[in-house]
Amino acid sequence: MSTRRSERDENRRVYGQNFLRDPKSLRRMVEVARVGREDLVFEVGAGEGVLTEVLAERARYVVTHEVDAHLARALEPKLRRWDNVELDFGDFLQVLPAAEPFKVVANIPYSITSAIVDWCLDARYLTSATLMTQLEYARKRSGWYGRWSQRTVETWPLFSWELCGKIPREHFRPIPKVDSGILHITRREKPLLRPRDLRDYEKLVALGFTGIGGSLRASLSKMYTPKRVAKAFDEVGLRQDTVVAFAHPDVWVELYRALNPSRR
C-alpha cells in the first residue's frame, strides 16, 4: 500500500487549506463585510470557489487569488460563467493593492494570518477586511479577553477591530484542530488622530508594550517625567498600576493627547 501523498493532499498541507462548506457561515461573512453592488472585493485563496460565487452574486467585481495551481486549474471553468470575477494564479501577498476603494473578504490560511493582516493594513485604499482566522487570533486582536494586543492598539486611530462570530471547526473540510472566528477590520472614515501624530503615537505604544519598569506607567516614564505620566493617567481615568494590555485602545488615544496637550 502506497503512503505517498496525492498532489491535492500535499498542497493542503503546504498551503494550510481548510475549506469552509457551511452556507450559513459563508453568508454571514458576506453580511459582516456588507458587500454590495458598488464594491470591488479581493479574495485570498479561491479554494473551491464556494465563497467566490457568493461574493460574485453581490459585488460589482471580485478579484480572487489562488496560489495552488491544481485548485486554480480546476476552478477556472467553474468561474467562467461570472463576468464580474477575475481569477489570479498567484500569491496574494505579492499582489499590488487596488488603486481605488476595495474590500478583502477571505477564509485565509492560518499560517500566514499575520502577513495577510499586515498587507491589508498597509493597503492605502482598503476600506475593510473580513477574515476567517483562528478563533484565538480573532479574540486576541479584538480585545475579547479584556486585553489588547500591541498591533490592535497601534492601529486603532485608523482601524477598528471586531470579532463578529465563531465558526465551529466541523464546518470545514478537512476539519482543522481549532474553531475559527470572523475578524472584521474597518478603516475609520475619520481617524482618531491627525496624520502628523500617528508616528509619535506608535512610538508611545511601542514603548508602553516593552514592559520596561514592570508597569505601563513606569514604561512611559522613560519618555515623559513620572509626574507628567501620573497626571495624564488621572486625566484619562486610568489606574496608576494598570498593566499595559488592559488599557483600552480608546484610552491609549486619550493618553497620547493628555501627554501631548499641544497636539490636541
Side-chain angles (χ1 to χ4, degrees), residues 124-249:
R124 180 178 179 183
Y125 293 103
L126 177 98
T127 58
S128 68
T130 306
L131 308 173
M132 190 73 69
T133 71
Q134 284 187 342
L135 182 60
E136 185 70 7
Y137 180 92
R139 283 173 169 172
K140 286 181 177 179
R141 289 290 185 258
S142 62
W144 192 85
Y145 294 109
R147 303 191 302 270
W148 301 87
S149 71
Q150 181 175 344
R151 192 64 169 135
T152 306
V153 173
E154 69 186 6
T155 60
W156 195 254
L158 297 178
F159 296 94
S160 64
W161 300 65
E162 184 181 6
L163 173 59
C164 294
K166 171 186 173 182
I167 309 300
R169 65 191 189 93
E170 291 81 12
H171 289 183
F172 297 83
R173 292 294 182 275
I175 299 176
K177 295 180 179 180
V178 296
D179 294 327
S180 294
I182 301 174
L183 179 64
H184 187 54
I185 306 171
T186 307
R187 184 183 296 276
R188 301 184 188 280
E189 291 186 9
K190 183 178 180 181
L192 302 180
L193 293 173
R194 292 169 294 187
R196 69 175 187 174
D197 291 320
L198 294 177
R199 181 170 295 182
D200 287 341
Y201 171 80
E202 290 173 2
K203 290 180 180 178
L204 177 76
V205 174
L207 176 60
F209 273 87
T210 60
I212 295 175
S215 69
L216 176 56
R217 176 182 170 184
S219 296
L220 298 184
S221 294
K222 302 296 180 181
M223 182 181 292
Y224 304 94
T225 66
K227 183 177 180 179
R228 188 173 176 182
V229 173
K231 181 180 178 182
F233 271 49
D234 287 340
E235 186 175 327
V236 303
L238 201 60
R239 288 179 43 151
Q240 299 292 328
D241 60 352
T242 298
V243 176
V244 60
F246 290 91
H248 191 283

Side-chain angles (χ1 to χ4, degrees), residues 35 39-43 55 59 61-64 102-105:
V35 174
D39 288 324
L40 167 62
V41 179
F42 277 26
E43 182 188 12
L55 291 170
Y61 200 77
V62 179
V63 182
T64 186
F102 73 103
K103 297 178 177 180
V104 171
V105 183

Side-chain angles (χ1 to χ4, degrees), residues 14-31:
V14 172
Y15 298 123
Q17 296 166 342
N18 297 96
F19 304 122
L20 180 61
R21 300 286 181 80
D22 180 58
K24 184 177 179 180
S25 298
L26 289 166
R27 289 195 299 271
R28 174 61 179 162
M29 280 195 72
V30 177
E31 289 168 359

